[in-house]
Amino acid sequence: MNEMVDDTQIKYPTMDAAASVLRKLGVDPASRFDQYDQDFEYTACRVEELEAYLKLYQDEDTTLAEKRLLGCFLIEGLNDYVSFHLQSHPSQNEVFKRLHQDMNIHQDEFEYRFECWGLDGYEPWPICEYIMEWRKNHSREDQP
């Protein structure tokens, strides 16, 4: 997907997109977040649903807003997996490939993940090391 994207459409994940994604997965959105949840894009996801998020991400009916939200769900789910298992998730490379192919949608999320590194009071997310390693190993593929 290399189409032009309206930045205002995807700057931040939306509750509407989260509710839509959860409904598509057969989950009642009210069971995961409410209107006052400021971090729904990180708290409404579940690591055990990673494969379902990836499958939904690849569906042609998935909107840009849903992909933006799913990017958060996927990265947060991978982070939880890495934190618990101390190794990469079996689908991690496929997730990174998809999100980097759609960097125009996920740039803000990646920037957010990395801008907190080194700031007082912020622990680096374990997934960031895996992302940096993936980028290093795949940057040659992006060269003409």
Side-chain angles (χ1 to χ4, degrees):
M1 163 182 231
N2 289 323
E3 67 189 61
M4 294 302 289
V5 176
D6 176 6
D7 287 345
T8 59
Q9 183 182 14
I10 56 160
K11 177 76 175 166
Y12 301 104
T14 66
M15 285 188 173
D16 287 344
S20 177
V21 162
L22 291 172
R23 276 191 224 100
K24 287 181 178 183
L25 296 174
V27 175
D28 177 10
S31 72
R32 300 277 179 98
F33 68 93
D34 64 30
Q35 65 186 7
Y36 303 108
D37 190 339
Q38 294 181 355
D39 294 322
F40 63 91
E41 67 269 38
Y42 307 116
T43 61
C45 59
R46 302 292 181 266
V47 68
E48 59 273 8
E49 295 171 342
L50 268 170
E51 295 297 328
Y53 302 151
L54 183 57
K55 184 178 182 308
L56 183 57
Y57 189 94
Q58 297 173 83
D59 281 355
E60 61 184 54
D61 295 343
T62 302
T63 68
L64 293 178
E66 290 169 339
K67 283 187 175 193
R68 174 65 172 93
L69 182 277
L70 282 164
C72 295
F73 276 15
L74 286 162
I75 293 172
E76 186 65 23
L78 289 175
N79 191 64
D80 289 348
Y81 186 90
V82 166
S83 297
F84 184 77
H85 296 284
L86 305 176
Q87 65 181 19
S88 63
H89 185 275
S91 298
Q92 187 165 292
N93 284 334
E94 180 64 21
V95 169
F96 289 167
K97 177 182 167 190
R98 295 280 176 185
L99 297 182
H100 280 83
Q101 284 174 341
D102 289 341
M103 186 56 79
N104 55 346
I105 299 171
H106 304 291
Q107 183 65 39
D108 290 313
E109 183 63 22
F110 282 112
E111 286 176 8
Y112 169 70
R113 293 286 175 161
F114 287 108
E115 75 182 5
C116 294
W117 271 30
L119 296 178
D120 287 341
Y122 285 91
E123 293 271 333
W125 285 284
I127 197 62
C128 291
E129 291 183 38
Y130 286 86
I131 292 169
M132 289 190 322
E133 184 67 23
W134 187 92
R135 284 180 172 178
K136 185 176 97 179
N137 292 331
H138 292 84
S139 64
R140 291 179 297 280
E141 295 173 9
D142 297 333
Q143 306 286 326

